[in-house]
Amino acid sequence: MPPDAATSPPAVDDGWGTLRRFIPYLWPAGRADLRARIVRAMVLVLLAKGVTLATPLAMKRLVDTMAQGGDPLLWLALGMAFAFTAGRFLATAFDNVRNMIFERVGQDAARHLAEDVFRRLHRLSLRFHLSRRTGEVTNLIERGTKSIDTMLYFLLFNIAPTIIELIAVGIIFYTLFGAPLVLATAVTVVIYIFLTRLITEWRTKLRAEMNALDGQALSRAVDSLLNYETVKYFNAEERENARYAASARAYAAAATKSENSLGLLNIAQALVMNLLMAFALGFTVWEWSRGRLSVGDLVAVQTYLTQLFRPLDMLGMVYRSIRQGLIDMAAMFALMDTEVEIADRPGAPALVIRRPTVVFDDVVFGYERERTILHGLSFAVEAGQHIALVGPSGAGKSTIARLLFRFYDPWSGRILIDGQDIATVSQDSLRAAIGIVPQDSVLFNDTIGYNIAYGRAGASAEDVLRAAQGAAILPFIEALPDGFDTEVGERGLKLSGGEKQRVAIARTLVKNPPILLLDEATSALDTRTEQDILETLHRVSENRTTLSIAHRLSTVADADRILVLEHGRLAEQGRHRDLLRDGGLYAEMWARQAESVEDASLAAE
């Protein structure tokens, strides 16, 4: 079996490199409509910010007008009041219209990135999927795709407008109130950003620990639920609960630290900003007392700083969200950068089969360099032949199946189908030519009809019906209340072993491959069901090149040729009666299995 050691992902770049990789999704080539939406959204950002910056001036003029008093100024004051409220409404309207325009861009970018990751995962090797926990991978993808929308919003509609507003407020303060207020604001903003970054970096480490524990808890929950039957078999509910509870407790402790650090950040931010507010208002009152500023100036200063505080108050969350988003996206990009172990050669042609022959030519292979599984294995299967592969556990039988599907490449030697090296043809065409009925037929959590039709894209209802009939499962399906629309449950657990096997056979019939691989397809079934399935398999394998991997020798006794493997080498080959006559390993295995059957019969009596 392949090793369980986790494959180390590439180094994670969580900075500008991640942003550079993401920009093509945000600014997609050939999508002028999406690019136009981005431009319109940014124009609305500028309009909203312009209106926001103008409203304090309207309020200043309103207060100064009211302070002067007199009927002639009434209409001017009313006009300023209406202008102030209209400005507030327009700023909100511009922001929301901007979000409506940009939403399509953000969703499209997230969708394309998620599709690329999903496509990449299916290209990665079997070794990768056996060494990674499904829950952790799905959690990583979920966090990465969810961070896109948040990160885009903060980068484009918080950071950029805040920078514009800081510059504009500095200019306005210098023009209306002089350099001291500009200098105080600048120093405060620098101190604020420094403290926010310092505390947020600390919080990011806590957040990373929390995410890791969250992923561990989710992984354990998914793993436990996927193995529901095993948990029940071993009365392990309390063990699983304790295991999950340990992860949940660790996550809760990390989450508490993270939330407490947020409180500290908010206190530090509030202290810095209110010190600036105290200085600015005190400075304005002092200048008013000397006749240099008006009451309206006090209102304008307070309004500008309040508006400036609003995005700055969120700076810690924004910084953390962007940084965490970059980390999550970088992890997702690292997943995409995982080396594809089995890749098609550039321009690899499709496999063309005229006579479905299979040849293993001096194949050497192992899952780890320290342990060789197949030692120069050679054999040939003629077109239309039924060949059986038998041998003790660990002899390399299932490894042959994985190599034939090209889940792995041999270290040396060749595997040929109709004279073509499978390493030189496209994997799609190779796998399209081979059908398999595995020992454990895992079905999708969907209907029986969907699982049968899965054998070939675009399979019609007639194809599914004929396949069900050919697999001798049609009477069973027709007896169900929902027929082909019957749900099979997670991994097909609502069906019996024999029913699942027949669905798997029907799925292979829909595929209609010239080469058929039966990987211990009946070893988990009772004797009666096994005989029924064997009859179906014999009928299905007619006029096809068939390789049967078998543990029970009685199921392959009628094969055209039996290959006996031992320690990854071909120990014997021949027909059933010839191998028994030779008295070698096959005869020994047959005698032991016959003795086991006899002992079982005596025990039953």
Side-chain angles (χ1 to χ4, degrees):
M1 290 296 293
D4 282 337
T7 304
S8 300
V12 173
D13 177 7
D14 59 355
W16 293 110
T18 301
L19 282 177
R20 284 196 300 269
R21 289 193 62 173
F22 178 67
I23 286 174
Y25 293 95
L26 177 62
W27 191 260
R31 291 298 305 272
D33 58 326
L34 294 181
R35 293 184 174 186
R37 282 177 175 268
I38 296 173
V39 172
R40 291 201 300 272
M42 296 313 297
V43 168
L44 287 170
V45 167
L46 296 175
L47 288 175
K49 195 53 62 180
V51 172
T52 301
L53 291 169
T55 51
L57 297 177
M59 179 59 74
K60 163 184 158 56
R61 185 69 181 274
L62 171 61
V63 173
D64 287 340
T65 301
M66 293 177 66
Q68 294 178 28
D71 292 338
L73 299 176
L74 172 62
W75 295 108
L76 178 59
L78 287 174
M80 289 299 103
F82 291 145
F84 177 77
T85 54
R88 288 173 58 85
F89 168 75
L90 286 175
T92 302
F94 286 151
D95 282 344
N96 283 275
V97 172
R98 170 206 71 196
N99 292 342
M100 292 163 63
I101 291 174
F102 189 78
E103 183 64 22
R104 174 75 62 82
V105 179
Q107 292 295 335
D108 204 67
R111 177 177 62 83
H112 277 117
L113 184 54
E115 288 176 0
D116 285 350
V117 175
F118 188 74
R119 188 179 300 111
R120 182 72 174 188
L121 283 174
H122 277 291
R123 290 184 59 204
L124 294 178
S125 66
L126 180 63
R127 190 190 308 274
F128 170 86
H129 289 282
L130 290 176
S131 64
R132 297 291 292 266
R133 293 182 181 272
T134 304
E136 291 178 353
V137 173
T138 54
N139 195 28
L140 186 151
I141 296 172
E142 181 183 12
R143 286 207 310 264
T145 51
K146 280 186 176 179
S147 68
I148 293 171
D149 196 45
T150 303
M151 198 174 68
L152 283 178
Y153 181 86
F154 285 140
L155 280 174
L156 297 178
F157 305 141
N158 186 284
I159 298 295
T162 301
I163 293 173
I164 295 171
E165 186 169 3
L166 280 170
I167 296 171
V169 168
I171 295 171
I172 293 170
F173 276 9
Y174 182 78
T175 303
L176 298 179
F177 312 119
L181 198 53
V182 176
L183 182 61
T185 303
V187 170
T188 302
V189 168
V190 170
I191 294 174
Y192 182 94
I193 292 174
F194 173 76
L195 282 176
T196 299
R197 186 176 185 277
L198 185 67
I199 298 175
T200 303
E201 286 290 346
W202 170 52
R203 294 196 69 238
T204 300
K205 294 178 182 178
L206 296 178
R207 184 78 179 181
E209 179 186 355
M210 187 178 74
N211 282 341
L213 292 170
D214 184 31
Q216 183 187 70
L218 178 64
S219 174
R220 287 182 176 179
V222 171
D223 200 30
S224 180
L225 292 175
L226 286 176
N227 292 280
Y228 171 83
E229 290 178 282
T230 304
V231 174
K232 291 294 184 182
Y233 291 152
F234 294 95
N235 300 94
E237 293 92 335
E238 289 304 317
R239 272 184 283 163
E240 290 298 316
N241 289 341
R243 195 162 173 256
Y244 177 75
S247 296
R249 282 194 299 270
Y251 170 76
T256 301
K257 290 181 183 178
S258 180
E259 289 304 313
N260 290 343
S261 67
L262 177 60
L264 179 62
L265 175 62
N266 291 336
I267 292 172
Q269 289 175 331
L271 175 64
V272 172
M273 286 314 224
N274 281 286
L275 286 174
L276 172 62
M277 180 69 80
F279 171 81
L281 294 180
F283 173 80
T284 307
V285 171
W286 172 257
E287 291 294 293
W288 168 78
S289 69
R290 302 174 64 186
R292 295 179 181 175
L293 296 177
S294 66
V295 177
D297 289 324
L298 180 70
V299 174
V301 168
Q302 190 273 340
T303 306
Y304 273 122
L305 290 180
T306 301
Q307 288 181 175
L308 189 61
F309 289 171
R310 195 172 299 119
L312 287 177
D313 277 342
M314 297 175 61
L315 185 60
M317 184 193 65
V318 170
Y319 177 77
R320 180 182 58 77
S321 297
I322 291 176
R323 182 162 176 76
Q324 187 61 48
L326 288 172
I327 291 172
D328 290 339
M329 286 179 60
M332 193 162 60
F333 282 130
L335 191 64
M336 293 176 67
D337 290 339
T338 302
E339 182 181 358
V340 178
E341 182 181 349
I342 307 299
D344 289 341
R345 296 181 181 180
L351 177 67
V352 178
I353 297 183
R354 298 178 181 84
R355 302 187 70 255
T357 60
V358 177
V359 174
F360 273 61
D361 180 16
D362 196 24
V363 172
V364 178
F365 174 73
Y367 297 109
E368 298 170 309
R369 285 292 173 181
E370 297 77 16
R371 181 187 172 209
T372 304
I373 303 296
L374 301 181
H375 301 266
L377 181 65
S378 297
F379 66 85
V381 184
E382 295 299 323
Q385 272 192 330
H386 179 193
I387 299 297
L389 300 168
V390 303
S393 297
K397 303 185 296 296
S398 295
T399 298
I400 291 173
R402 290 192 173 104
L403 289 173
L404 188 61
F405 268 95
R406 209 186 165 207
F407 291 153
Y408 304 91
D409 279 336
W411 295 350
S412 64
R414 301 181 303 162
I415 301 174
L416 309 174
I417 293 181
D418 197 6
Q420 301 158 75
D421 189 339
I422 65 172
T424 65
V425 300
S426 67
Q427 295 177 64
D428 281 346
S429 64
L430 167 66
R431 290 166 188 156
I434 308 172
I436 184 170
V437 180
Q439 176 180 359
D440 182 17
S441 298
V442 178
L443 305 181
F444 289 96
N445 189 2
D446 210 300
T447 65
I448 292 177
Y450 174 86
N451 278 282
I452 295 176
Y454 198 80
R456 188 180 74 250
S460 66
E462 291 76 13
D463 295 330
V464 173
L465 187 66
R466 282 197 300 269
Q469 189 172 12
I473 196 175
L474 185 58
F476 165 75
I477 296 174
E478 289 178 336
L480 296 171
D482 295 326
F484 283 97
D485 293 327
T486 302
E487 297 282 342
V488 302
E490 188 81 32
R491 296 182 297 137
L493 292 178
K494 289 184 178 181
L495 303 181
S496 70
E499 290 158 0
K500 281 179 24 177
Q501 289 297 76
R502 290 189 187 278
V503 170
I505 294 169
R507 184 167 58 187
T508 301
L509 284 176
V510 167
K511 187 176 184 180
N512 194 27
I515 299 172
L516 185 61
L517 179 62
L518 308 176
D519 188 1
E520 302 199 49
T522 64
S523 63
L525 305 177
D526 62 87
T527 305
R528 180 175 179 180
T529 305
E530 179 184 61
Q531 292 304 316
D532 292 341
I533 295 292
L534 282 174
E535 291 178 8
T536 304
L537 289 174
H538 288 158
R539 184 170 62 255
V540 168
S541 61
E542 289 179 0
N543 303 318
R544 303 177 198 271
T545 301
T546 306
L547 283 80
S548 294
I549 297 172
H551 175 69
R552 297 181 188 175
L553 303 184
S554 58
T555 63
V556 294
D558 60 344
D560 296 327
R561 188 156 46 100
I562 299 173
L563 307 180
V564 185
L565 301 179
E566 186 178 25
H567 303 306
R569 294 180 173 86
L570 186 59
E572 302 173 301
Q573 60 176 314
R575 294 185 66 85
H576 170 71
R577 59 177 178 272
D578 297 329
L579 291 172
L580 288 180
R581 189 187 314 116
D582 292 342
L585 176 61
Y586 180 84
E588 179 185 343
M589 292 170 59
W590 179 269
R592 287 184 178 180
Q593 289 192 11
E595 183 179 347
S596 298
V597 172
E598 184 178 349
D599 290 344
S601 299
L602 291 174
E605 294 176 1

